[in-house]
Amino acid sequence: MKKLLLFSLILALSFPSEINAQRKKSKKNQTEETTPKPEKSKTKKYSDFVTKKTKTDDGLFKVHNTDNTYIYEIPKTLFGKEMLLVTRIKDIPAGLGGGYVNAGSKINTQVVVWEEFQDKILLKVKSYDAVANDSLPIYKSVKANNLEPILFAFDVAVQNLDSTAVLVDVTKFFTSDIQAISPLPDSYRKRYKVKRLDASRSFINSIKSYPENIEVVQDFTFDADEAPSNSSTNTITLRVNQSMIVLPEDKMMPRVYDKRVGYFSIGNVDYSSEALKADEKRYIRRWRLEPKDINAYNRGELVEPIKPIVYYLDPATPDKLKKYIKQGVDDWAKVFETAGFKNAIMAKYAPTEEEDPEFSMEDIRYSSIRYVASTTRNATGPSVSDPRTGEIIESDIIWYHNHLRSYRNRYLLETGAANPSARTLDTSAEEIGEMMRMVISHEVGHALGLPHNMAASYAYPVDSLRSGNFTQKMGIAATIMDYARFNYVAQPGDKNIRFIRQLGPYDHYAINWGYRKIPDIKNPEQEVKTLDKWIEEKGDDPVFRFGGERFDPSAQTEGIGNDQVKASTYGIKNLKIVAKNLPTWTSSQTNNYEDLTELYGELLSVWSRYVGHVSGNIGGVYEFNKKPNQTGNIYIPVSKEKQKESLAWLHKNAFETQDWLLDKNILANSKEDGYTDLMLSLQNRQLNSILNITTLKRMIDAEVIQDNYYSASDMIRDVRTGIFTEANYVRNVTLFRRNLQKSLIDKLGVLLVSKESKNTDISSIIRGELAMLNFQLTIARNRGVNRITKYHYTDCLATIKEILDPK
């Protein structure tokens, strides 16, 4: 029995331990069975990224697309190669940018390079603002002080099969909100209160690879509290095109910029110079034109270029306008013959989808003329250039649909008095086409590298613009690049007049200077002697002058002829005829007042421009760009006689009430009120032009370099006595004159307290003239004038007292 109890006790003590041991063992086995063993790292292979499902597009890079994951296969030979990355809008929501941004608008241009760094591929932005020869020691310092920003860092996915290229996933790069390639600059983000990019509504539309470039189309959708259109959606969606094109290794030799001939330019600071400072170098922007037969070219024969400049017309262009747009491009072919090139530029119709399914207006290999469905009245001629040399790579000229309406209106207003065919709202298709042709020619000029040359309209004598023989041969300005749109000088009865602008002699001269190949030249500096000679051969001939500074009255926009007083006198004489007939030519024909109201508003603007041309003489300074070996000074103030003549003209044609502009039949049928404010605003524009700090300071400075100068003191006195003429006589002051006189006092008051006039003669002159006016009006108030004139003078005196003795 004892043995049995002892055995039971031993069994009872040992059993739980076995149970626990079994439990522990069970848990251990369970852990081993349920926890997966870590796999050995598996190296990714090329076939993991390029599968049977992958669609591959071969070109500059191979682009692999697998279920909308995009992989670039970048050849190692292209690492370090400079490429141009151009961001432009492909499709745009209505109203973005206030109407001046459109499909095809360029947003950003930057030079980029792909580089290997450790296990990454870097996309870096390269700048050419500072340069140095890489063989010089200072090159290291230039690099160290101009570190290139990294736009994006990509993980290397894998190498290709023969290790000549690497694969990187670019999906995230093209679907993220990266400012450098974004279609929305900071100003738009603030304007439309953009919160964020919505990734769920943003994606890559397509990526296509071509031999020299890659084109990416993205859809970006942003949350925005104040979207420009469809505002209830709080959404802005844009379609963007990213073009990346490899830049040529055989760089075009740049041509040194010269401010005496108008060209857009690129510039940098060159630290390779042996001078005692870094050289600021500037080169013109131009297309690369190389003759097919250089020997024939050097013999003076016309030779075709290896690669001509070709523009493709937007398929969206209305059929009836295509021929005029094409002519506007083709007209420049004759100009390039002056530079020795035949068939150098041309327009072509874009291929159909059947002819070329890969053709795209956004493809950076093609230059285009875009026709934009927009109410904006404008046209532009931007281009993309190589920042290393100034070589123009591509350009997209943009025409806005409503722009022709502006030209129809201006044609009627500026030429209608002397040109019977302009006296209608239904301008003939041929004349409208001719206007469009010349606008396109103007924008092509920009795309060729030529900026505005506002001095060209000053080259022709005013009375020559009334000659049929002269205008048919020479046009109305020496270049198409001036804003000289119509001949408003020609008078009724003048015969065979050309009223619309055209290409001129300066265009031939400028293209020859910028594009003609100079033989036996190895660097840009060697060309300068010849380029100088071409300029100096023209001497002081105004036909070949370039200018455009706002202080220069001979380089004003919209002006024609070499005498602003004479030209504007002719222009206003014509405008009075038009104003008298405006209802007959508009509302009487349409049986509504819409066109009359629109044209009346534009007529006031035309009048303001004519008057403004004369105002520009007051305090004006002519600029004649020269080098020291040329005779004469660069800056010459307008003569005292011309300035005094101009101010006398302004008193008669602007500051005296222009009753002919206030046609009761037009005003009473166009707006319910604001008639007095309207006239005052027109007069104030001219008053502000001549009574501003910059103008007055130029007049004071003229005393230093001009013997017979028109002083600021004399000018302000002449303004005061002219505008307050009634105070010298027993005359009542009319409504419009009362407003103008008060405005003059206010303007003088602003000048007196201006920080810029402090410690200059300006404050002294203003204080003295206000004191004289105070004396003059005190006497005038007590003469036999009517009640409102007395009240007016009393009010003026109170204002003067507040200005001179502020409490």
Side-chain angles (χ1 to χ4, degrees):
M1 185 69 179
K2 290 182 178 177
K3 288 183 178 179
L4 179 61
L5 290 172
L6 180 63
F7 176 78
S8 299
L9 180 61
I10 294 171
L11 184 63
L13 291 172
S14 63
F15 186 75
S17 297
E18 289 182 9
I19 295 294
N20 288 338
Q22 288 176 4
R23 285 176 179 169
K24 288 180 181 179
K25 185 176 181 181
S26 176
K27 287 181 179 179
K28 182 179 179 181
N29 290 341
Q30 187 178 13
T31 302
E32 289 177 353
E33 290 172 5
T34 59
T35 304
K37 294 180 180 180
E39 294 184 9
K40 294 181 179 179
S41 60
K42 182 180 180 183
T43 303
K44 294 283 186 180
K45 302 190 298 295
Y46 186 83
S47 57
D48 293 324
F49 298 95
V50 183
T51 68
K52 292 180 180 180
K53 295 173 59 179
T54 301
K55 297 177 182 178
T56 298
D57 193 18
D58 200 357
L60 180 66
F61 300 166
K62 286 182 179 179
V63 177
H64 305 294
N65 175 12
T66 308
D67 296 329
N68 295 321
T69 295
Y70 289 87
I71 303 289
Y72 277 4
E73 185 173 326
I74 307 174
K76 294 181 180 180
T77 56
L78 291 178
F79 288 151
K81 299 292 184 184
E82 294 170 326
M83 302 180 186
L84 204 62
L85 179 60
V86 181
T87 303
R88 71 174 78 247
I89 297 176
K90 179 177 173 63
D91 296 308
I92 189 171
L96 187 77
Y100 286 92
V101 179
N102 51 265
S105 289
K106 182 177 63 176
I107 302 298
N108 196 10
T109 301
Q110 48 201 329
V111 176
V112 297
V113 292
W114 297 85
E115 290 185 0
E116 279 187 295
F117 179 73
Q118 297 176 357
D119 60 345
K120 302 283 186 181
I121 300 297
L122 307 181
L123 183 61
K124 301 174 75 174
V125 178
K126 194 167 184 178
S127 170
Y128 275 88
D129 292 339
V131 297
N133 191 314
D134 59 10
S135 65
L136 298 176
I138 199 171
Y139 176 76
K140 296 178 181 179
S141 179
V142 171
K143 292 285 287 182
N145 287 281
N146 293 273
L147 185 63
E148 297 156 353
I150 298 170
L151 191 58
F152 204 84
F154 301 87
D155 292 324
V156 177
V158 71
Q159 296 195 56
N160 67 346
L161 298 177
D162 59 4
S163 300
T164 60
V166 296
L167 276 64
V168 296
D169 188 338
V170 296
T171 311
K172 183 178 179 181
F173 176 64
F174 286 120
T175 54
S176 300
D177 190 7
I178 298 172
Q179 190 68 26
I181 61 169
S182 170
L184 285 182
D186 283 338
S187 59
Y188 286 5
R189 291 172 187 253
K190 292 176 183 177
R191 181 174 178 179
Y192 302 120
K193 296 186 178 179
V194 174
K195 294 180 178 178
R196 67 184 182 95
L197 178 73
D198 185 349
S200 67
R201 293 179 289 164
S202 302
F203 43 85
I204 298 171
N205 193 296
S206 67
I207 301 182
K208 296 181 180 180
S209 189
Y210 301 99
E212 298 177 1
N213 58 301
I214 293 178
E215 303 294 328
V216 181
V217 178
Q218 308 155 269
D219 283 2
F220 282 126
T221 298
F222 296 89
D223 289 332
D225 285 345
E226 295 185 6
S229 57
N230 298 307
S231 57
S232 62
T233 65
N234 285 11
T235 295
I236 298 175
T237 297
L238 301 100
R239 183 160 290 164
V240 183
N241 193 97
Q242 310 283 355
S243 298
M244 188 173 65
I245 185 169
V246 64
L247 289 170
E249 289 192 42
D250 58 328
K251 300 176 185 177
M252 180 188 78
M253 189 173 75
R255 178 154 291 181
V256 175
Y257 170 81
D258 192 313
K259 66 189 303 184
R260 295 172 295 177
V261 183
Y263 268 89
F264 294 123
S265 61
I266 55 118
N268 57 47
V269 177
D270 189 350
Y271 288 89
S272 303
S273 170
E274 295 185 6
L276 297 180
K277 65 179 182 65
D279 272 352
E280 293 185 13
K281 293 189 175 180
R282 189 155 290 279
Y283 302 107
I284 68 171
R285 293 177 57 193
R286 57 176 180 161
W287 295 81
R288 182 188 297 212
L289 289 183
E290 303 284 349
K292 288 181 178 178
D293 186 339
I294 187 64
N295 293 323
Y297 183 88
N298 289 338
R299 291 194 301 268
E301 300 175 24
L302 288 179
V303 176
E304 290 186 343
I306 295 171
K307 184 180 179 181
I309 304 165
V310 179
Y311 281 92
Y312 289 92
L313 270 62
D314 192 337
T317 306
D319 290 337
K320 64 181 181 180
L321 299 176
K322 287 180 179 178
K323 68 175 182 178
Y324 301 113
I325 295 176
K326 190 175 186 306
Q327 286 175 329
V329 179
D330 294 345
D331 283 344
W332 282 95
K334 193 70 177 175
V335 179
F336 273 97
E337 290 183 5
T338 306
F341 291 101
K342 180 172 63 175
N343 301 326
I345 183 171
M346 63 196 72
K348 293 183 178 181
Y349 298 116
T352 64
E353 189 171 352
E354 292 74 22
E355 292 170 333
D356 184 357
E358 295 293 323
F359 181 86
S360 168
M361 297 291 282
E362 284 74 32
D363 189 335
I364 199 169
R365 293 177 299 167
Y366 304 118
S367 294
S368 64
I369 301 178
R370 303 288 296 259
Y371 194 96
V372 178
S374 169
T375 57
T376 301
R377 298 184 182 184
N378 197 20
T380 61
S383 61
V384 173
S385 61
D386 185 340
R388 306 170 305 173
T389 63
E391 178 185 356
I392 297 174
I393 305 295
E394 176 264 2
S395 79
D396 291 282
I397 293 167
I398 298 168
W399 175 275
Y400 296 80
H401 179 72
N402 273 20
H403 199 33
L404 281 177
R405 189 174 182 87
S406 294
Y407 277 82
R408 182 208 66 177
N409 291 356
R410 292 276 298 272
Y411 191 53
L412 184 153
L413 295 170
E414 296 187 32
T415 77
N419 179 15
S421 67
R423 301 167 188 167
T424 176
L425 296 175
D426 297 318
T427 312
S428 71
E430 184 178 348
E431 289 171 292
I432 285 289
E434 179 69 4
M435 294 175 212
M436 186 176 202
R437 174 183 178 181
M438 293 305 140
V439 178
I440 293 296
S441 285
H442 177 93
E443 302 306 336
V444 170
H446 285 320
L448 295 173
L450 304 181
H452 291 131
N453 180 9
M454 302 307 182
S457 53
Y458 197 73
Y460 294 164
V462 172
D463 283 327
S464 294
L465 301 173
R466 299 186 59 188
S467 164
N469 290 335
F470 182 89
T471 56
Q472 292 296 342
K473 179 181 178 182
M474 303 294 290
I476 60 177
T479 176
I480 195 73
M481 302 314 298
D482 200 324
Y483 272 175
R485 305 172 203 267
F486 296 110
N487 185 348
Y488 58 79
V489 162
Q491 296 294 293
D494 293 343
K495 304 295 183 184
N496 194 32
I497 298 296
R498 180 170 179 87
F499 289 101
I500 302 171
R501 61 181 170 174
Q502 65 182 25
L503 288 154
Y506 173 86
D507 301 311
H508 290 260
Y509 162 71
I511 290 297
N512 181 74
W513 188 91
Y515 282 87
R516 178 170 285 280
K517 301 285 290 183
I518 301 174
D520 304 320
I521 294 298
K522 296 181 180 179
N523 60 62
E525 288 69 31
Q526 290 181 355
E527 291 188 326
V528 172
K529 186 176 181 179
T530 300
L531 296 172
D532 281 350
K533 180 183 176 183
W534 290 347
I535 296 172
E536 290 157 12
E537 283 175 348
K538 302 303 181 184
D540 295 323
D541 191 335
V543 168
F544 304 105
R545 175 177 167 234
F546 173 73
E549 295 295 344
R550 296 185 66 181
F551 56 76
D552 185 346
S554 68
Q556 298 187 78
T557 62
E558 313 289 353
I560 58 174
N562 65 348
D563 185 330
Q564 295 89 354
V565 171
K566 194 172 188 178
S568 291
T569 299
Y570 279 134
I572 287 179
K573 187 178 179 181
N574 282 338
L575 207 55
K576 288 179 178 179
I577 297 172
V578 173
K580 184 178 180 180
N581 289 280
L582 200 56
T584 303
W585 298 345
T586 58
S587 56
S588 295
Q589 304 298 317
T590 62
N591 197 31
N592 68 61
Y593 291 110
E594 292 178 7
D595 288 293
L596 175 61
T597 301
E598 179 181 326
L599 280 159
Y600 175 67
E602 292 191 28
L603 182 144
L604 298 177
S605 297
V606 171
W607 174 84
S608 189
R609 281 196 294 272
Y610 293 167
V611 177
H613 296 153
V614 179
S615 298
N617 283 328
I618 311 298
V621 177
Y622 301 120
E623 182 184 54
F624 300 97
N625 290 310
K626 299 173 182 288
K627 284 192 173 182
N629 64 325
Q630 296 175 277
T631 59
N633 295 324
I634 294 177
Y635 299 109
I636 302 174
V638 176
S639 71
K640 177 180 180 179
E641 293 73 22
K642 176 57 70 175
Q643 292 191 63
K644 286 183 70 68
E645 177 193 15
S646 298
L647 186 53
W649 189 93
L650 289 172
H651 277 303
K652 180 180 179 181
N653 293 279
F655 299 141
E656 289 182 12
T657 305
Q658 304 300 299
D659 293 320
W660 64 274
L661 284 175
L662 302 170
D663 188 310
K664 296 177 182 178
N665 293 324
I666 297 177
L667 290 174
N669 289 301
S670 60
K671 57 188 304 182
E672 73 281 3
D673 58 14
Y675 313 136
T676 52
D677 290 342
L678 177 64
M679 177 53 65
L680 182 61
S681 68
L682 293 169
Q683 293 173 321
N684 269 339
R685 180 176 178 183
Q686 309 310 321
L687 201 58
N688 291 336
S689 173
I690 61 178
L691 292 180
N692 70 75
I693 295 291
T694 304
T695 298
L696 295 174
K697 283 188 173 181
R698 282 201 301 267
M699 297 185 77
I700 292 170
D701 287 338
E703 299 181 22
V704 179
I705 61 174
Q706 193 175 33
D707 294 331
N708 186 28
Y709 57 86
Y710 189 32
S711 70
S713 176
D714 286 346
M715 188 272 284
I716 295 176
R717 180 199 61 200
D718 291 344
V719 170
R720 172 183 60 81
T721 57
I723 289 179
F724 278 90
T725 299
E726 296 90 342
N728 293 326
Y729 306 94
V730 183
R731 289 182 188 170
N732 296 321
V733 185
T734 62
L735 170 63
F736 294 105
R737 291 284 287 181
R738 293 195 298 269
N739 288 341
L740 180 61
Q741 289 173 0
K742 286 187 176 75
S743 183
L744 173 60
I745 294 173
D746 288 343
K747 182 63 180 172
L748 294 176
V750 170
L751 286 171
L752 184 63
V753 300
S754 168
K755 291 181 180 180
E756 294 178 274
S757 65
K758 189 177 181 180
N759 299 324
T760 73
D761 276 354
I762 296 173
S763 60
S764 305
I765 295 167
I766 299 301
R767 194 176 297 278
E769 286 300 317
L770 285 171
M772 287 296 297
L773 186 56
N774 186 75
F775 175 76
Q776 183 183 16
L777 296 183
T778 300
I779 297 173
R781 182 179 57 176
N782 298 320
R783 292 177 177 170
V785 292
N786 63 10
R787 182 174 57 185
I788 189 61
T789 300
K790 285 181 182 290
Y791 289 169
H792 167 64
Y793 285 156
T794 299
D795 189 30
C796 289
L797 288 167
T799 303
I800 293 170
K801 182 179 180 180
E802 289 176 4
I803 293 171
L804 294 177
D805 187 20
K807 294 181 180 179

